[in-house]
């Protein structure tokens, strides 16, 4: 939740005048300049989702029905902040379907941002690099062959850049776009859009490749891949004997400047956004708003196909990017930064439903700051559930590992030979190493729970749940930390067994419990000697006491019952 000080600071700067619009009838489009685009994408996905549900019910196909229901619920409600007239989605549930226009837009945006993130490094390493915008085509295949053709295109594209003629290519990225083939209702029109960075030496006369030369290389690589898959490739299908490759020098939006690594940060946004847009338009996906035979075949053909692929140094740079992890407190800062320059910003929940028509209607029931808080908490909730489950699983594995070490100590206590002792001691070191690795993972998970707003870190190894106040303590990831965890488990077991002595109802039961108590006592002594040997405990022989050198605490003497 936003801190009281932070919330007060924001409120002090903002004019809290109420919106004069009719709250019941206000739509996302009526309060934001980009509301129409957001709503249209939802409407297109809504139609596609319904198509899956209807077909699933007709065919009694549960998989199709679930896919449709998941897409139907995608972005059904979205928390939005409207700043300077533009709506920004703070949080919404996503289905991640390839046919969902909302999710494909988000995916495209992520790729666009990744490309923009590597531009500074690209500009430093290849400061004079220039760019080409290229479209690679192929003869329209039958929709039933689309999958194989896409695979051939991907492999041909990769192999083409391995040829000597393309040694001047620094790197680039390409995306796949598919439209309905105009030459036949049973065809598709797949093509690649690519932005390619080239060394300036490429543009010298002896190194330069014309569009036809690009086309020949593309055609040769395609033909080889088509033959591998048993597909027909006929050069006579193309006017020049090879597929058309459209090559243009990449230019700024106004067409006045050629894009280079010196100015791409300033002028390259539009081109990058165009190349990394979508795989198929919503208007092309359905025919007259309905799923037809072409759509259902398309759905089968594109399953698992990779639509975006980098090449060259761009591929490595993108792979080296750190994954952007959700941080509850950074999300607060992002929102504060977003609304800082608009005192009249609006925050609300847009709900897709039917009143006059299917549209995003603004809920307008709460204070706008409450909507911001709810949005961040809703976004954090999924991460919190994931890491809580992960923590539970890893704590279970750690406890199981402690039990394994205790079993090994039992064997050490009972071993009679030097050889057996050495084998068991080696096994102990292996078990301790595994536990140290588990502790590292536990600490990572607890730190993640801090990052997503559920835990507060009290010290390097102690965390507290903000809501329940429950504490989670992680052992130190070294032999002393692991052995102290073993000691703690044995002490708990010892105390529980000792308490059972009072309730023993027969001599046999009493003797059995005494044996267990004495065994635990002996094991505790073995473990404390291990910690003593590691230099973390001292031993006071006069009082038969172990002393924890870190805390100067004298440990309880665990006696054996005679």
């Amino acid at each position: 939740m936003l801190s009281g000080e932070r919330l007060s600071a924001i409120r002090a700067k903002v004019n809290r005048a109420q919106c004069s619009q009719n709250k019941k009838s206000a739509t996302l489009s009526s309060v934001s300049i980009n509301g129409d685009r957001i709503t249209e994408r939802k409407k297109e996905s809504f139609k596609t989702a319904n198509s899956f549900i209807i077909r699933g019910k007709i065919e009694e196909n549960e998989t199709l029905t679930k896919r449709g229901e998941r897409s139907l619920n995608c972005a059904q409600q979205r928390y939005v902040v409207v700043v300077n007239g533009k709506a920004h989605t703070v949080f919404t549930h996503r289905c991640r379907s390839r046919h969902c226009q909302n999710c494909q837009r988000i995916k495209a945006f992520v790729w666009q941002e990744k490309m923009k993130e590597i531009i500074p490094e690209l500009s430093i390493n290849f400061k004079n690099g220039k760019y080409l915008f290229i479209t690679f085509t192929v003869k329209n295949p039958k929709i039933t062959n689309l999958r194989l053709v896409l695979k051939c295109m991907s492999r041909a594209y990769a192999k083409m850049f391995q040829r000597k003629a393309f040694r001047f290519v620094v790197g680039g990225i390409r995306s796949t776009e598919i439209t309905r083939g105009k030459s036949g209702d049973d065809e598709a029109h797949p093509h690649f859009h690519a932005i390619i960075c080239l060394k300036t030496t490429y543009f010298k006369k002896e190194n330069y490749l014309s569009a036809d030369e690009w086309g020949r290389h593309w055609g040769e690589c395609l033909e080889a891949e088509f033959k591998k898959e048993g597909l027909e490739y006929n050069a006579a299908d193309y006017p020049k004997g090879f597929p058309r490759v459209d090559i243009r020098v990449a230019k700024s939006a106004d067409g006045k400047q050629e894009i280079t690594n010196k100015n791409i940060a300033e002028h390259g946004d539009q081109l990058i956004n165009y190349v990394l847009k979508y795989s198929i338009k919503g208007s092309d996906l359905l025919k007259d708003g309905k799923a037809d035979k072409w759509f259902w075949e398309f759905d089968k053909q594109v399953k698992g196909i990779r639509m975006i692929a980098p090449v060259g140094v761009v591929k490595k740079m993108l792979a080296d990017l750190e994954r952007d992890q959700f941080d509850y407190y950074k999300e607060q800062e992002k929102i504060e930064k977003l609304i800082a320059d608009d005192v009249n910003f609006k925050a609300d929940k847009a709900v897709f439903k039917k009143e006059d028509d299917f549209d995003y209607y603004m809920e307008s029931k709460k204070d706008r700051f409450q909507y911001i808080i709810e949005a961040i908490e809703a976004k954090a909730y999924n991460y919190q559930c994931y890491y809580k489950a992960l923590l539970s699983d890893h704590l279970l594995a750690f406890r199981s590992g402690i039990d394994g070490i205790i079993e090994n100590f039992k064997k050490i206590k009972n071993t009679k030979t030097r050889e057996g002792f050495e084998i068991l001691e080696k096994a102990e070191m292996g078990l301790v190493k595994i536990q140290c690795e588990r502790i590292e993972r536990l600490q990572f998970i607890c730190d993640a729970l801090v990052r997503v707003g559920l835990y507060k870190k009290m010290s390097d190894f102690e965390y507290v749940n903000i809501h329940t106040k429950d504490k989670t303590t992680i052992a130190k990831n070294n032999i002393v930390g692991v052995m102290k965890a073993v000691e703690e488990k044995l002490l708990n077991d010892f105390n529980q067994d000792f308490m059972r002595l009072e309730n023993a109802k027969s001599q046999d039961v009493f003797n059995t419990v005494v044996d267990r108590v004495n065994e635990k006592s002996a094991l505790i002594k073995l473990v404390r000697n291990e910690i003593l040997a590691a230099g973390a405990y001292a031993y006071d022989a006069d009082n038969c006491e172990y002393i924890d050198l870190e805390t100067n605490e004298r440990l309880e003497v665990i006696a054996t019952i005679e």
Side-chain angles (χ1 to χ4, degrees), residues 77-138:
Q77 298 180 348
R78 55 169 82 222
Y79 288 93
V80 296
V81 176
V82 181
V83 179
N84 296 322
K86 185 177 180 180
H88 302 263
T89 299
V90 181
F91 173 71
T92 186
H93 288 288
R94 295 168 50 199
C95 67
R96 292 178 171 82
S97 168
R98 176 158 279 172
H99 305 319
C100 174
Q101 296 301 303
N102 178 63
C103 291
Q104 288 307 302
R105 175 67 192 94
I106 293 170
K107 185 178 179 180
F109 175 77
V110 170
W111 275 103
Q112 290 160 5
E113 292 304 299
K114 282 182 178 179
M115 270 301 294
K116 291 167 190 174
E117 194 174 338
I118 68 168
I119 281 173
E121 184 182 356
L122 202 58
S123 301
I124 291 170
N125 295 338
F126 306 94
K127 62 175 68 174
N128 294 317
K130 291 188 175 183
Y131 287 85
L132 294 179
F133 170 57
I134 311 176
T135 302
F136 298 88
T137 66
V138 68

Side-chain angles (χ1 to χ4, degrees), residues 26-228:
T27 63
L28 186 59
S29 301
S30 69
V31 299
S32 62
I33 56 177
N34 58 335
D36 280 335
R37 291 200 306 274
I38 295 172
T39 304
E40 191 57 38
R41 283 198 292 266
K42 174 59 183 175
K43 286 182 177 180
E44 289 173 349
S45 298
F46 187 76
K47 292 174 185 175
T48 307
N50 274 324
S51 297
F52 275 99
I53 292 171
I54 292 167
R55 189 178 180 100
K57 289 181 177 178
I58 291 172
E59 297 181 358
E60 296 183 351
N61 186 322
E62 190 176 351
T63 301
L64 286 178
T65 303
K66 285 184 176 179
R67 286 178 66 188
E69 289 172 347
R70 193 164 58 246
S71 286
L72 198 67
N73 291 324
C74 179
Q76 192 70 17
Q77 298 180 348
R78 55 169 82 222
Y79 288 93
V80 296
V81 176
V82 181
V83 179
N84 296 322
K86 185 177 180 180
H88 302 263
T89 299
V90 181
F91 173 71
T92 186
H93 288 288
R94 295 168 50 199
C95 67
R96 292 178 171 82
S97 168
R98 176 158 279 172
H99 305 319
C100 174
Q101 296 301 303
N102 178 63
C103 291
Q104 288 307 302
R105 175 67 192 94
I106 293 170
K107 185 178 179 180
F109 175 77
V110 170
W111 275 103
Q112 290 160 5
E113 292 304 299
K114 282 182 178 179
M115 270 301 294
K116 291 167 190 174
E117 194 174 338
I118 68 168
I119 281 173
E121 184 182 356
L122 202 58
S123 301
I124 291 170
N125 295 338
F126 306 94
K127 62 175 68 174
N128 294 317
K130 291 188 175 183
Y131 287 85
L132 294 179
F133 170 57
I134 311 176
T135 302
F136 298 88
T137 66
V138 68
K139 179 189 174 185
N140 288 356
K142 299 292 183 185
I143 186 67
T144 50
N145 283 335
L146 178 61
R147 185 179 190 82
L148 283 178
V149 170
L150 288 173
K151 286 183 176 181
C152 291
M153 290 174 71
S154 294
R155 292 198 294 259
Y157 179 85
K159 287 184 177 179
M160 187 180 72
F161 286 112
Q162 293 173 8
R163 292 187 165 198
K164 186 178 179 180
F166 298 94
R167 64 191 181 279
F168 304 103
V169 171
V170 170
I173 194 165
R174 61 91 177 158
S175 66
T176 307
E177 185 176 0
I178 303 165
T179 58
R180 290 178 180 253
K182 294 181 180 178
S183 53
D185 289 340
D186 61 345
E187 293 180 354
H189 176 51
H191 50 284
F192 289 162
H193 291 303
I195 178 170
I196 303 294
C197 180
L198 296 145
K199 298 174 184 175
T200 50
T201 48
Y202 165 81
F203 293 92
K204 292 182 178 178
K205 188 175 182 181
E206 64 272 18
N207 299 326
Y208 185 79
L209 297 176
S210 66
D212 285 352
E213 288 172 304
W214 278 81
R216 285 193 192 93
H217 284 289
W218 173 237
E220 288 170 5
C221 293
L222 267 180
E223 184 176 11
E225 295 303 323
F226 268 50
K227 286 180 178 178
K228 285 181 186 177

